[in-house]
Amino acid sequence: MKNNITILGVRIDNFSVHETKEKISNFIENSPEQKFIATLNPEILLKAHRDEKYRKILNSADLNICDGFGLRLAGFLKGKWLKARFTGVEMADFLLLNAKICNLRVLVIAFENSLSTPKEIERTINKKYPGLSVKSEYYLSSQSWFEDAIIKEAEIVFVNFGAPQQEKFIFENREKFPNAKILVGVGGTFDFLTGNITRAPGFLRVIGLEWLWRMIQEPKRFKRIWNAVVVFPIAVIKER
């Protein structure tokens, strides 16, 4: 089986959870080159379908992870099958655990309108991974912000601006993080880790109804959920 499939023009790497973890561990332990990871869901693929520049950025990533039940369904509609879903929360936890084991410095760059403040993010990570070197900062566009030692020394960089801003930011600024081994866009992942948003019960995640739980908690997301649940499958069917 090919190790990737393409949906709406975007490459999705087709690995099991175990294989994905092995790839990430290898990036951390053995790769001399900086790696860019993207976590993909239906909403992101729709945006990339309409934005050629964004699509090219995603296709340039070193690892494109399936984070969304809808992508597995889309693969099925195309006669292919994605082995597994590896959520942003699971990936962040895995990266943080490995950062602690390998004694790496972590930076979380927060958008100013994020539900979770930098202090909340730091407190949550420190509680779960005591002793881990972690710093969370609001993003500032000034050059002096990039020159700060905390920014330049970061080895694992999480960017939670949401799509497409976070992936475009990484693509355009990755050279400004000279010590980074991995840069990854994580959207609202840290809102789940801090508890500001509650994850759907396990059975809803398994059957692909996590979107319903999210909409109940955040009705303002209706348009985004409509795009992911209705518009995206229609676009995939048309692509066939």
Side-chain angles (χ1 to χ4, degrees):
M1 179 184 289
K2 286 179 63 178
N3 283 337
N4 61 72
I5 71 172
T6 300
I7 298 175
L8 298 185
V10 178
R11 185 194 89 246
I12 305 170
D13 295 313
N14 191 14
F15 298 116
S16 67
V17 171
H18 176 71
E19 289 168 333
T20 300
K21 288 181 176 180
E22 281 192 331
K23 295 251 337 155
I24 294 173
S25 294
N26 188 56
F27 287 167
I28 293 173
E29 297 170 13
N30 302 314
S31 177
E33 299 176 351
Q34 188 184 79
K35 300 297 182 181
F36 166 27
I37 299 176
T39 55
L40 305 181
N41 59 34
E43 185 184 9
I44 288 176
L45 262 64
L46 268 182
K47 289 180 178 180
H49 185 55
R50 299 163 178 163
D51 181 343
E52 183 180 4
K53 179 181 177 182
Y54 186 40
R55 187 163 64 249
K56 288 180 177 178
I57 288 173
L58 292 178
N59 285 327
S60 76
D62 299 286
L63 181 61
N64 280 337
I65 295 173
C66 170
D67 175 13
F69 183 86
L71 298 192
R72 302 191 76 194
L73 177 60
F76 176 76
L77 291 174
K78 291 172 65 70
K80 301 176 182 179
W81 187 245
L82 286 163
K83 293 181 183 179
R85 176 190 180 199
F86 192 44
T87 69
V89 174
E90 293 165 336
M91 186 210 55
D93 262 330
F94 183 72
L95 277 172
L96 291 169
L97 175 61
N98 277 267
K100 180 174 181 179
I101 292 171
C102 299
N103 196 29
L104 302 178
R105 296 177 291 270
V106 171
L107 172 67
V108 182
I109 307 175
F111 190 58
E112 62 180 355
N113 293 326
S114 301
L115 286 177
S116 303
T117 68
K119 291 301 180 185
E120 286 178 306
I121 292 170
E122 285 182 24
R123 186 163 57 245
T124 297
I125 295 174
N126 284 324
K127 183 177 180 180
K128 189 165 187 179
Y129 299 99
L132 175 63
S133 175
V134 58
K135 184 67 177 176
S136 182
E137 294 274 353
Y138 282 126
Y139 169 64
L140 300 175
S141 60
S142 64
Q143 185 60 36
S144 61
W145 184 84
F146 285 108
E147 294 300 322
D148 189 280
I150 292 171
I151 309 302
K152 296 182 73 172
E153 292 173 2
E155 294 164 291
I156 304 292
V157 180
F158 296 97
V159 184
N160 78 336
F161 298 172
Q165 292 87 353
Q166 59 194 15
E167 288 81 20
K168 289 182 176 181
F169 171 85
I170 291 170
F171 183 79
E172 294 166 1
N173 296 285
R174 56 191 301 180
E175 76 283 353
K176 295 175 182 176
F177 300 88
N179 289 306
K181 293 176 175 289
I182 290 177
L183 299 102
V184 56
V186 292
T189 289
F190 284 98
D191 295 329
F192 290 105
L193 293 179
T194 60
N196 284 322
I197 295 291
T198 305
R199 288 194 78 186
F203 77 94
L204 288 180
R205 300 201 298 268
V206 169
I207 63 176
L209 290 179
E210 193 168 3
W211 60 268
L212 180 59
W213 179 267
R214 192 75 186 269
M215 189 170 69
I216 292 171
Q217 291 190 89
E218 295 181 273
K220 65 181 180 180
R221 294 177 64 93
F222 174 79
K223 183 178 179 181
R224 295 175 60 180
I225 292 171
W226 173 265
N227 284 335
V229 175
V230 178
V231 179
F232 174 72
I234 291 174
V236 172
I237 292 170
K238 287 182 176 179
E239 184 185 39
R240 290 181 66 193

